[in-house]
Amino acid sequence: MLSALTLILLCQLAGELVTRFFSLPLPGPVAGMALLFGLLVIKGSVPQEIGAVSDTLLRHLALLFVPAGVGVMAHFDLLEQQWLPISVALVGSTLATIAVTALVMSRLSRATSEDEGGTGNG
C-alpha cells in the first residue's frame, strides 16, 4: 500500500511541478490526477494496491474537506462582500453541469440503443 500511496503522491507532485513550470491555469493535483489516469490507461488496468489506497481515501474523503472549510472561514469577510457574484456563479455552474450531463446522457443512451439494434428491424 505504501508504494501505491507514493505513486499517487508522486503524480500529484509531478502535476504541481508541471503547472508551475509552464504557468498553467490548472491546479497541480488535477494535472497529477490526469497524469495518473494516463499511466493507468497505458497499463490497461488499475493495480489492486492503487485501488485499495484510493478506496481508503474515498472512504475518508470528508476529512479532506476540513482544510477547505477552514479556508472559507478565513475569508468570510470577502464572501460576505461578494456573496451575490459567488451565488450566481455557483447556481449557474450547477445548472450548466446538470444540462450538459443530461445532454451527454441523452446522446449516449440514444447511441447505445441504436448499437443494440433498437430500430425494431431485428
Side-chain angles (χ1 to χ4, degrees), residues 27-80:
V30 172
M33 186 171 41
L35 176 65
L36 179 62
F37 177 72
L39 291 172
L40 294 175
V41 166
I42 290 169
K43 179 163 178 39
S45 65
V46 178
Q48 183 179 359
E49 298 85 16
I50 292 178
V53 168
S54 61
D55 286 343
T56 301
L57 287 172
L58 287 174
R59 271 196 302 275
H60 302 299
L61 190 61
L63 293 175
L64 301 176
F65 286 107
V66 171
V70 170
V72 167
M73 294 314 295
H75 297 285
F76 190 74
D77 293 338
L78 181 61
L79 290 173
E80 191 174 44

Side-chain angles (χ1 to χ4, degrees), residues 16-39:
E16 285 285 350
L17 294 174
V18 166
T19 57
R20 288 179 191 242
F21 183 75
F22 292 110
S23 299
L24 299 175
L26 183 71
V30 172
M33 186 171 41
L35 176 65
L36 179 62
F37 177 72
L39 291 172

